[in-house]
């Protein structure tokens, strides 16, 4: 279950992660770990997310509703 509706397309991210942008009032980028697609972590923005994430090495970029390009440097936590 996602915290808010899926924005559109997802992106394969670092290692075995699927990055899922959501379109709630506060944008959230949810990382799901394969196999089983269990939640690995979530990052939040202060604006809704509007685009599919773009992954460049450890950096992930997403366009926010307010026109800013948001970026996060991801460090993948070990599986629990």
């Amino acid at each position: 279950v996602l915290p808010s509706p899926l924005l559109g397309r997802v992106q394969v991210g670092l290692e075995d992660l699927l990055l899922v942008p959501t379109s709630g009032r506060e944008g959230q980028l949810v990382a799901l770990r394969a196999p089983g697609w269990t939640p690995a972590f979530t990052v939040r923005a202060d604006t809704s997310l509007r685009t599919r994430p773009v992954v460049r090495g450890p950096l992930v970029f997403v366009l926010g509703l307010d026109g800013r390009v948001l970026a996060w440097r991801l460090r993948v936590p070990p599986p629990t």
Side-chain angles (χ1 to χ4, degrees):
V1 176
L2 296 174
S4 54
L6 174 65
L7 175 61
R9 297 185 305 167
V10 299
Q11 177 67 41
V12 174
L14 305 172
E15 298 177 16
D16 57 350
L17 297 177
L18 186 65
L19 300 174
V20 180
T22 64
S23 61
R25 196 175 125 229
E26 288 184 339
Q28 293 187 40
L29 185 64
V30 178
L32 302 175
R33 187 183 304 275
W37 305 116
T38 57
F41 61 88
T42 300
V43 292
R44 286 188 171 190
D46 59 356
T47 186
S48 294
L49 304 180
R50 287 292 166 239
T51 61
R52 176 183 187 179
V54 174
V55 178
R56 295 288 183 252
L59 296 175
V60 176
F61 300 90
V62 180
L63 180 64
L65 178 63
D66 60 6
R68 291 180 293 157
V69 175
L70 307 169
W72 294 277
R73 180 176 302 274
L74 300 182
R75 288 179 287 163
V76 179
T80 55

